[in-house]
Amino acid sequence: MNDQSLRGKVALVSGSSRGIGRAIALTLAEAGCDVIVNYFSNQAAADEVVGKIRAAGRRAGAFRADVSQRAETEAMVEAAQKEFGTIQILVNNAGITRDKSFMKLSPEQWREVLLVNLDGAFNLASRLLPGMVESKWGRVINITSIVGQIGNFGQASYAVAKGGLMAFTKTLAREVARKGVTVNAVSPGFIETDMTAAVPEDRLELVKEITPMGRLGRPEEVAIAVRFLADPRSSYITGQIINVNGGMYM
């Protein structure tokens, strides 16, 4: 897919300093996008991603913002658009977990997960969608999770947030389908990232056993699904959840 079919498009990928977001940012740049790399705490990692994108001949910039906070999101978008112009591709990737069994989960931890995963997507989409509609072309791609489809012990808040993101995807897709904007989601299974690195080895072995492919996924395998949905040739695909999970959930 190195055909540069996204050349001239500007993409914003939230939470793209590492892991799946990093892979998405690099893959979109490879396809021709200029990329706004959003990060919250790891500026060095964000700068490294920006450096790689610029070395490949595309424009890129690192912009710090806690996307769960409306004011910070507004300020980031304003600064990014001043430098890059209209953002036509939004990838809502930023997300956190606060894993605890439900009876041990505090109200603060519950709200924190929903704020980042759900409010973050709302804040960015509500800010960027008008520009996409005005230009009659846009892509919103939400990164959800297999946990939102099947549930998982100790992840009530995360499952609710990701399930909500899927419902948001389908509703938004219906609302903008005639305006040149598609809205889809990519739902990863268990992927090799910092998040899964914190999972005990015996639990990861169990995950591999119940996954038909017998392994964890790689961030690049999620990124290529995002790149596919962003492509102008994917214009008749909207409201869909693309599973990237090695067959764990079908």
Side-chain angles (χ1 to χ4, degrees):
M1 284 193 178
N2 296 330
D3 56 12
Q4 299 283 294
S5 61
L6 289 173
R7 181 171 288 277
K9 303 295 186 188
V10 178
L12 188 157
V13 184
S14 68
S16 50
S17 63
R18 56 201 175 103
I20 290 173
R22 177 184 186 276
I24 291 169
L26 294 174
T27 298
L28 290 178
E30 186 181 276
C33 280
D34 297 328
V35 184
I36 295 154
V37 176
N38 160 252
Y39 71 98
F40 174 58
S41 59
N42 197 335
Q43 183 176 349
D47 288 342
E48 186 264 344
V49 177
V50 167
K52 279 184 172 292
I53 294 171
R54 288 176 177 169
R58 305 309 307 162
R59 294 190 302 156
F63 292 82
R64 186 200 173 280
D66 176 354
V67 295
S68 73
Q69 301 302 309
R70 182 76 181 186
E72 288 189 30
T73 305
E74 290 272 2
M76 174 186 66
V77 169
E78 185 175 342
Q81 289 194 325
K82 190 174 293 184
E83 182 176 343
F84 290 86
T86 301
I87 298 165
Q88 294 169 295
I89 299 170
L90 167 63
V91 183
N92 282 312
N93 169 75
I96 62 167
T97 60
R98 294 291 182 265
D99 295 353
K100 282 191 176 177
S101 63
F102 182 72
M103 287 189 290
K104 295 178 180 178
L105 188 68
S106 72
E108 292 74 26
Q109 290 167 328
W110 171 271
R111 282 194 295 271
E112 189 179 4
V113 172
L114 266 61
L115 275 170
V116 175
N117 290 279
L118 278 180
D119 284 38
F122 169 82
N123 288 336
L124 281 165
S126 62
R127 181 62 177 78
L128 295 177
L129 205 58
M132 296 181 191
V133 169
E134 187 177 339
S135 64
K136 296 182 172 59
W137 197 94
R139 298 285 186 267
V140 178
I141 302 164
N142 299 316
I143 307 303
T144 62
S145 170
I146 190 173
V147 172
Q149 295 168 300
I150 65 174
N152 195 33
F153 185 93
Q155 290 195 304
S157 56
Y158 190 66
V160 166
K162 292 302 189 180
L165 204 50
M166 292 181 203
F168 175 63
T169 298
K170 295 179 180 184
T171 300
L172 198 59
R174 290 185 182 276
E175 292 187 4
V176 297
R178 299 193 181 193
K179 302 180 187 300
V181 181
T182 66
V183 186
N184 291 288
V186 174
S187 181
F190 288 82
I191 310 296
E192 294 173 350
T193 63
D194 291 348
M195 201 176 283
T196 52
V199 177
E201 187 59 37
D202 59 334
R203 288 195 63 191
L204 287 181
E205 286 304 315
L206 178 60
V207 167
K208 293 174 187 176
E209 284 178 24
I210 61 177
T211 301
M213 286 191 177
R215 65 173 176 86
L216 300 184
R218 296 184 295 274
E220 295 75 20
E221 292 173 312
V222 179
I224 200 66
V226 173
R227 188 253 176 273
F228 166 72
L229 291 170
D231 194 293
R233 294 166 292 188
S234 298
S235 57
Y236 202 54
I237 301 171
T238 198
Q240 302 305 307
I241 314 295
I242 307 297
N243 293 317
V244 183
N245 60 33
M248 190 180 189
Y249 171 78
M250 302 183 188

